Each structure stands twice: as structure tokens, then as C-alpha cells.
Amino acid sequence: MSKMNIRSIWNAVASVALKEFLHVWRDKRILALIIILPPFFTLLFGHAFEGTELTGVPAVIVDRDGTEQSKKLVEHLGKKKTFAWTKLGDASGDPDLLRLRASAALVIPKDWTSTLEAGTPVPLKLFLDGTDATSADELEGRLREMLGEFQGQDDVQELTVKPLFEELPPEVFDALKAVTPESRAKLKVEFQKLVKPWQPETRILYNPGLRFIDFVTPGIIGLILQLLTVTLMACTIAREREAGTLAQLIVTPLRRMEIVIGKVLPYLGISLFLIGVTIGVAHFHFGVHFRQPFMLGIICLLFLLCSLGSGLLISAFCHTQTQAIQFAVFYLLPVFPLSGAFAPIERLPAGVRLVSDVFPLTHFCEAFRMASLRNADFSFFAGDLLFLAVGAIVTCGGAAWILNRTDA
Amino acid sequence: MPDPIIVLENLRKAYGATIAANDLNLSIPRGEIFGFLGANGAGKTTTIRMLCGLTRPTSGHGFIDGLDVWTDRYRIRSKFGYVAQKFSLYPDLTVTENLAFFGGAFRVPRGELGARIETLLAQMDLVGKRDAMAGSLSGGMKQLLALACALVHDPPLLFLDEPTSGLDPVHRQQLWNLLYNLGHAGTTIFVTTHYMDEAERCTEVGFVREGRLLVKETPRRLKASFKSKLLELEVDPVMPALAAFRSAPGVLDATLRSGHARIYAADPESLLREWQREWPFPELKWIHHAWVEPDMEDVFKAWSQGYTQLFDSTAS
């Protein structure tokens, strides 16, 4: 391609880009939205997901046993902040959570202590509001943890282990005297294995603070950018088609690709600026650290191209702006829950994950977390980058192709 | 005909069962102002859109400067300017920004664009509005700006789709003066219109009805193609008279012209004799009758309604 030709293409692309930039620049409402939304959403989502620990959950405790032991349990549970317990006098039947305005209820059954001592304990009864399944799971886990702690206390252990020994027949003790020290040691190990819970020593890698904000930051950045790029871009060609300017644009000698690139460029510039703002907020306000800045730049660029391309594809395909916005909404809707922006994608069933793999945001989050959170090397996210690059080419090329085929 | 700039060969466009352009054959020489006339929905806009490469012909061919309007559409785009029926510039860009954008899109060299924009602004009387948003201009000024944008690359051919509809008489006059000057300077102009006074100004006009080109002639010869003058009656009251005449035997149609009823009839002379012998409308008062020369409006009426009985069959 000659120098003159490249210059002529650049001039043509620049004309379209300038025009497209002026459309955004002149629309003060949209401009305000673009500038305010990303930092605002980052703050909002950031704080929303900063600490997910449940505290002060309204709960009810019913002590039908009323012994020293059950009182100790109630006292122990009261020390933890997870639940805000309300003691309830003995009411028969299952507690009505809705009427009690509580999310959980724990019932200590009658004769709990005595059955415990007898070695055949009646189980505690826990009632949970399952409307929000995740919270219910977490509350159950918390309560099990507390009960475990309670059980581990010396006086309680004595209470449960003592009867066990008392009931052993005397022959056992005689037999034990006869065992050699070696087998006694062995027996001790076996016994400990039975009694002690299997407890691993945990060391957390990659996100040692276990801060959810570090995990969710790429999700926030990606989500905001996805939202803005797809909706803004979806309107560009559809708006021109609706206003009749597309015909005017098509009778010019502009090539389809020059129109597509010219339209994408200003939005790409704006989006990159917005990513900078969002990263700034995440870093300075939430203290999120970003590693491999160069790689993150590449990931963001490819993601934006792919995202702008999908918007453009919707735009080329739709006849009016209204249609384009509706399509954009329906495209964006499944992206939120399925892309792994806020919740680990591993929680989704395998079949649904195939759908997740179609969304650029999924690959953006994966690659971003690999590079920034895990400081992984390029080979770990090369596949995601390849997907985004192919996506950018396919969507932009597709938009140009549709533009070429349909009547303006 | 030496070196026509536009040639249509059996050009057809069908939308399902509807045929918007039905095997059009046409040849337009360079430098002509060609008026493309027809009722709404006759296929004028579809034809222009095919010529501009905006929609694909179903069959047949169109050529501009010897290049196919569809397969060579990227190569011919620098050769013409197009002003659409609907205002289609960017309302949120200023007058000069619109011109600069189209200049860039038409690959007008950067060095020449500034001077070109100044010339056009002066020509269109838009110098004072250069920094106004295109959307804030009056209808007439918008149309002048659209024309300026279509001319930014100084094309040898210009397509205008009803450029004056909705304009006041002053802007209509201004626009036509500009078109005349362009035509005089050698630009070929292909224009559709509903205004018959505008049709009079064209070097040639073509009538299209239901997608078919019925005739292509100079306005003078079209008017001369009527086999006789037209009968005009002065009656009182005139409005009920029009309805009465329309349902009378031997009358094709009757229209109101300057307070008189103009009658289209296959044989107006015998009709007049008959009515003079026995006036069939006792409720109407006969005042006067006259024979008038047909004008372009009569030509349009006759062609668009298909009153071929009015024409002199021996002439063409």
C-alpha cells in the first residue's frame, strides 16, 4: 500500500472519528453520564462487595432444656457477632421465622444435657430462612463453627468424654496394661485420628488477605465498561439509519471498514480514559494493587475492542435506536450473572459455563485476575486474549459486512 | 446520443410482489437537467436509490459514466452528489463541521477543503450561519446546506430527491437558480419533483407511473402532444359543478383552475356541442367557455392518471 493511500485512509478515518467524537461531546447529558458513572459505580459496587461477612443477623434462641449446660451454650453463642440473638420463652412447635422477624432460630430441645451425658444426644434444631440460599448456607456454616468451638471447650469435652471412659468394661483397662509401649503409641495415634477433627494447616496464596474487593475489581471495571461501550456503540449506526444520515454516509466513497474504525476510535479513547479513572479509584480508595500493568493494558484494549465490536454489530443489525437499546439490554442481561464478574464462574454448572465462555467479560475477568491477582505469566491467559482478539475482529468485521449488505 | 452520463437497461426493483421500478430504460446526456416526475409511490425514490448504489437492483443494470451502479458502486461514488428527500445531515454538528466531514469523507484534499467550504458558504448564502448547528437552521437553509454537502467534492452529476418539498417560494427560487447555474456550468442534474413549474425548467422530463417510465420528452413537446386545446368552463357555483362534470358521460376528469372548471375529455369538441345543444345541469349556471393551452400540470395529470385518450396518437 502506497504512502498516499495510507494517508488518504487515515484522513477518511479521522473525519469519521472527529464527527463521532463531536456527537458525544455535544450531548452534554450523555457526556455527564459517561464521566460520572464509572467512578460512582466503582465506589458503590466496591463498598457493596467490600465486606461480605454477615453480622447482626436477627436470630431467635429457644432453650427448652434450661440446664447449666444449655445456658453455657447460649452464653457462648452470644459472644459472636454473626447473630443478634433474642431469647424466647418456651413456645411449643416450630418457631415462625416470619412473625419473629428473624432469619434463623435455634432450639435446644428438652433433655438435651441429660441425653448428652447418656451418650445419645438429641440433636439441636436449627431453622433457617432459605429465601437467600447463599446467606442460609453461610449462616449454617457459622453456627456449626460456633458449636464446634463450644464442643472443644475443656469442661464440655470432659462432659462428653468422661462417660465414655466410665462405661468401658474393666477388661479393657487390663488389656491395655499388657500392650507394649510401641503399640500403645500406635494406639494413641489411631485414637487421636478418630477423635481429632481432620484439620489442615491452611496457607492462602494469590490473595492472602482474602479480600473480596481484590477479586471483584476486574468484575466492576469490566461490567461498567461493557455497559457503556455496548449501549453507546449500539446507538451509533442505528441512529444514523433512523435519521437517514446513513444513506448520506454510504454514498460517500468511505469504505465500510473506514466507517467502522472511525466510529470505534473515539469510544475506544473515552473507554481507555474511563478504565484509568476506575483503576485509580480502586487503587487509591480501596487499596487494590495492580500487577503487570502492560499486560493489563493489552487485556483492557482487546476487551474494549471486542465489546465495542459487539455494540456495533447490534447497531448494524438493528433499524432503530429503540431496537438497538432493547437488543443491548438482552445481550447484557445474561452477562451479569454468568460472566463471573461478581461470583466465581466455577459455581456454575458445566453446561451454563459454555454459555459464559461466549461473553467477552468472562475472558476479561479471567485474564485480568490471572495477570493482576495471581501474577501469572502470559501462557496462563493467552487463550483468553486470543478469544478477545478473535471476538474483536469477528464483531467489527461482521458490522462492516452487514453495513455492506443491507439497504441504508 | 453522444456519451450519455446515465444509462438504465431494464432496471427493476421488486419488494416481494410489489414492483417499485419495472424494467426502466433511460438514457440521460451530459449537462442535462432531467426532471423525474410521478405521483407518490410511483418509484422515483427507489430509482434514485438504485442509481446511488443504496439498494441493489433486482435485475437489469444502471450505468453512470459506463460503470455499473451496483457492482462498481464504490468506484462511482466520487462522481456524484446526493440530496435525499429527508433532511439527513448531522443536526448536532455546525454548518462548517458538516461540510468538513463530508469533504473528508469524499476525500477532498486537506489543502483545498478550506477554500472549497468558503466558496460553498458564499454560494449558498450561509456565511453568517457557519457556526450554527445544522439542526437549528430553517427548512430552506437546511436544504441549501444539504446541497452544499452534496457539492463539496465538485461532482459532475447531482441527484436530488424532491429538494424543494416543504420550502417557501423564496428558497425554492433560490435553490432553482443555483441548480440552473450548476447546469449551465456543465453539471448533470437528476431531480424528482412534484411541482410542475419546476418541471417546466428541466431540459427533459420523464413520467413514471407504477414503476414504469411512460414518456421522456422536453416539456415543450409534452405540452404539444395533446391532440387539442382543453375546454374550460365558467359556471356558478363551481364546486358542485366539478363533481357533476366528473360523473358526466364522456368526461375523464375535471379540475379547478383559477375559479374555472378545466375538463379532460377524449372528445371535448363534441362534448361542448352536446352541452350547448342541451345543458344537462339545470342547477348550474353556464357563464362562459374558453379553449386553453395545456400546461405541465395537465401533462402530469394526464400521464399520472393514464388519460392517454388526450394525446395525439399520430404525433409520437
Side-chain angles (χ1 to χ4, degrees):
Chain A
M1 207 173 273
S2 73
K3 214 174 188 176
M4 192 55 216
N5 211 342
I6 288 171
R7 194 162 170 186
S8 140
I9 289 171
W10 168 242
N11 282 345
V13 168
S15 299
V16 180
L18 175 67
K19 165 194 101 67
E20 211 63 37
F21 176 74
L22 285 172
H23 289 319
V24 183
W25 184 249
R26 294 270 156 79
D27 194 336
K28 296 300 177 205
R29 287 184 184 86
I30 290 291
L31 195 65
L33 192 75
I34 293 173
I35 291 171
I36 294 167
L37 220 57
F40 174 72
F41 272 10
T42 310
L43 286 175
L44 187 71
F45 288 155
H47 281 297
F49 293 107
E50 198 175 19
T52 50
E53 202 181 321
L54 292 162
T55 50
V57 176
V60 167
I61 196 155
V62 182
D63 185 0
R64 287 181 186 151
D65 195 32
T67 60
E68 193 80 359
Q69 185 66 17
S70 67
K71 277 178 190 142
K72 265 191 195 160
L73 176 64
V74 173
E75 194 192 331
H76 175 79
L77 293 176
K79 284 181 199 156
K80 300 288 171 174
K81 285 187 205 152
T82 309
F83 296 97
W85 295 106
T86 311
K87 273 178 210 155
L88 205 70
D90 199 350
S92 55
D94 292 343
D96 183 350
L97 289 180
L98 197 62
R99 199 176 47 77
L100 295 168
R101 299 184 189 284
S103 298
L106 184 71
V107 176
I108 304 172
K110 203 166 157 42
D111 302 329
W112 179 62
T113 315
S114 54
T115 53
L116 204 62
E117 279 171 14
T120 51
V122 184
L124 298 169
K125 278 185 184 168
L126 177 65
F127 298 86
L128 287 167
D129 178 358
T131 317
D132 170 7
T134 321
S135 301
D137 276 353
E138 196 175 338
L139 288 179
E140 193 188 347
R142 281 304 160 96
L143 199 76
R144 275 180 192 284
E145 202 178 296
M146 289 180 208
L147 290 173
E149 279 167 21
F150 179 71
Q151 216 171 5
Q153 284 172 4
D154 285 347
D155 51 339
V156 180
Q157 204 146 47
E158 194 182 326
L159 190 81
T160 47
V161 178
K162 220 168 71 189
L164 194 72
F165 277 95
E166 279 168 1
E167 277 170 31
L168 284 176
E171 299 94 83
V172 177
F173 292 98
D174 294 339
L176 280 174
K177 278 174 197 151
V179 281
T180 59
E182 294 85 46
S183 23
R184 193 183 301 170
K186 211 172 159 192
L187 200 68
K188 193 181 167 194
V189 171
E190 288 299 316
F191 193 68
Q192 272 175 342
K193 262 198 219 165
L194 278 172
V195 173
K196 273 217 162 185
W198 185 73
Q199 234 174 8
E201 190 199 45
T202 341
R203 230 186 93 218
I204 295 167
L205 306 169
Y206 312 126
N207 184 7
L210 266 184
R211 295 185 348 135
F212 193 61
I213 184 78
D214 289 287
F215 170 81
V216 94
T217 299
I220 296 174
I221 295 174
L223 202 63
I224 295 167
L225 267 298
Q226 170 105 70
L227 192 74
L228 277 177
T229 49
V230 171
T231 48
L232 288 178
M233 211 66 217
C235 283
T236 57
I237 294 179
R239 178 176 56 211
E240 298 223 26
R241 206 189 287 277
E242 209 174 338
T245 51
L246 190 61
Q248 215 67 51
L249 201 60
I250 284 186
V251 295
T252 69
L254 286 173
R255 292 183 188 91
R256 302 316 92 173
M257 226 37 200
E258 288 169 347
I259 295 178
V260 165
I261 294 170
K263 277 181 174 292
V264 163
L265 271 184
Y267 290 100
L268 186 66
I270 293 169
S271 311
L272 283 173
F273 166 75
L274 292 177
I275 285 192
V277 172
T278 318
I279 284 185
V281 172
H283 180 71
F284 291 108
H285 188 80
F286 294 107
V288 176
H289 288 283
F290 295 94
R291 274 168 288 191
Q292 307 200 53
F294 175 73
M295 273 303 161
L296 293 187
I298 305 263
I299 294 167
C300 289
L301 184 72
L302 288 177
F303 167 65
L304 286 178
L305 284 175
C306 199
S307 201
L308 288 166
S310 355
L312 207 58
L313 194 63
I314 292 174
S315 197
F317 168 74
C318 290
H319 285 258
T320 63
Q321 286 190 79
T322 316
Q323 272 180 7
I325 287 291
Q326 283 161 351
F327 262 89
V329 167
F330 281 106
Y331 166 69
L332 291 172
L333 200 65
V335 172
F336 297 148
L338 301 185
S339 61
F342 293 122
I345 197 165
E346 287 75 16
R347 283 197 185 164
L348 301 170
V352 178
R353 267 153 78 178
L354 290 177
V355 179
S356 301
D357 282 341
V358 176
F359 304 126
L361 188 59
T362 311
H363 297 274
F364 170 76
C365 290
E366 274 295 311
F368 200 105
R369 282 175 190 141
M370 273 291 176
S372 185
L373 212 55
R374 300 198 180 92
N375 203 12
D377 87 32
F378 179 71
S379 63
F380 283 92
F381 51 89
D384 293 310
L385 288 191
L386 184 69
F387 177 90
L388 292 175
V390 170
I393 293 167
V394 167
T395 50
C396 290
W401 185 76
I402 292 179
L403 212 52
N404 197 14
R405 298 260 313 173
T406 51
D407 287 1
Chain B
M1 195 184 301
D3 185 27
I5 189 162
I6 298 175
V7 176
L8 307 190
E9 285 175 2
N10 298 316
L11 191 69
R12 171 192 281 257
K13 179 74 188 184
Y15 296 101
T18 321
I19 296 165
N22 198 343
D23 297 345
L24 296 175
N25 285 289
L26 189 62
S27 168
I28 296 165
R30 241 167 251 283
E32 184 163 275
I33 299 181
F34 179 75
F36 202 44
L37 314 181
N40 287 328
K44 305 189 298 290
T45 299
T46 304
T47 308
I48 283 203
R49 286 171 58 84
M50 279 194 283
L51 286 170
C52 292
L54 285 170
T55 188
R56 184 184 195 151
T58 307
S59 62
H61 293 281
F63 299 97
I64 290 175
D65 243 358
L67 297 169
D68 190 286
V69 293
W70 184 252
T71 53
D72 296 322
R73 61 192 185 284
Y74 292 109
R75 288 175 64 198
I76 56 177
R77 279 183 178 150
S78 53
K79 292 181 190 292
F80 67 84
Y82 167 59
V83 178
Q85 194 170 351
K86 189 177 151 195
F87 173 71
S88 40
L89 299 176
Y90 300 101
D92 52 343
L93 265 55
T94 66
V95 167
T96 41
E97 282 166 354
N98 266 295
L99 284 165
F101 167 67
F102 283 104
F106 277 109
R107 296 183 156 77
V108 176
R110 281 274 159 97
E112 298 166 27
L113 188 57
R116 181 73 192 144
I117 289 175
E118 292 312 314
T119 311
L120 287 166
L121 286 176
Q123 216 175 342
M124 305 295 158
D125 230 351
L126 287 171
V127 177
K129 292 282 181 183
R130 60 189 313 144
D131 294 322
M133 295 291 160
S136 73
L137 299 178
S138 71
M141 286 183 180
K142 278 181 182 164
Q143 209 55 15
L144 290 170
L145 177 59
L147 181 60
C149 287
L151 292 172
V152 72
H153 56 304
D154 201 10
L157 172 63
L158 191 59
F159 289 105
L160 302 125
D161 197 356
E162 292 181 25
T164 55
S165 66
L167 293 199
D168 63 55
V170 177
H171 276 111
R172 213 142 76 80
Q173 188 63 47
Q174 191 184 353
L175 198 86
W176 270 96
N177 287 345
L178 286 164
L179 295 184
Y180 254 145
N181 292 341
L182 285 168
H184 196 69
T187 307
T188 311
I189 296 169
F190 187 107
V191 58
T192 72
T193 180
H194 278 140
Y195 297 107
M196 290 308 119
D197 57 323
E198 292 179 357
E200 300 254 16
R201 303 176 195 222
C202 298
T203 41
E204 253 193 320
V205 297
F207 273 103
V208 65
R209 190 162 83 100
E210 288 167 5
R212 282 182 190 281
L213 184 72
L214 302 177
V215 64
K216 175 181 170 279
E217 255 318 337
T218 62
R220 180 189 298 272
R221 291 187 61 172
L222 277 173
K223 286 183 283 185
S225 67
F226 281 78
K227 65 184 172 196
S228 71
K229 290 185 176 181
L230 296 171
L231 177 63
E232 221 173 67
L233 291 178
E234 195 181 346
V235 286
D236 187 63
V238 71
M239 293 317 285
L242 288 175
F245 292 160
R246 278 183 196 131
S247 52
V251 176
L252 295 166
D253 203 354
T255 60
L256 188 66
R257 288 295 187 87
S258 313
H260 299 179
R262 187 171 293 192
I263 289 161
Y264 303 104
D267 189 358
E269 274 149 56
S270 58
L271 187 75
L272 180 66
R273 273 198 302 276
E274 201 180 301
W275 283 357
Q276 278 170 332
R277 198 165 53 235
E278 195 196 337
W279 181 234
F281 312 104
E283 72 281 11
L284 302 172
K285 188 177 156 220
W286 172 297
I287 299 167
H288 179 70
H289 88 269
W291 290 99
V292 293
E293 291 286 348
D295 57 19
M296 279 307 283
E297 197 141 345
D298 299 315
V299 174
F300 182 79
K301 182 92 185 170
W303 280 110
S304 62
Q305 302 291 316
Y307 300 151
T308 46
Q309 306 94 312
L310 299 176
F311 301 121
D312 187 353
S313 52
T314 57
S316 57

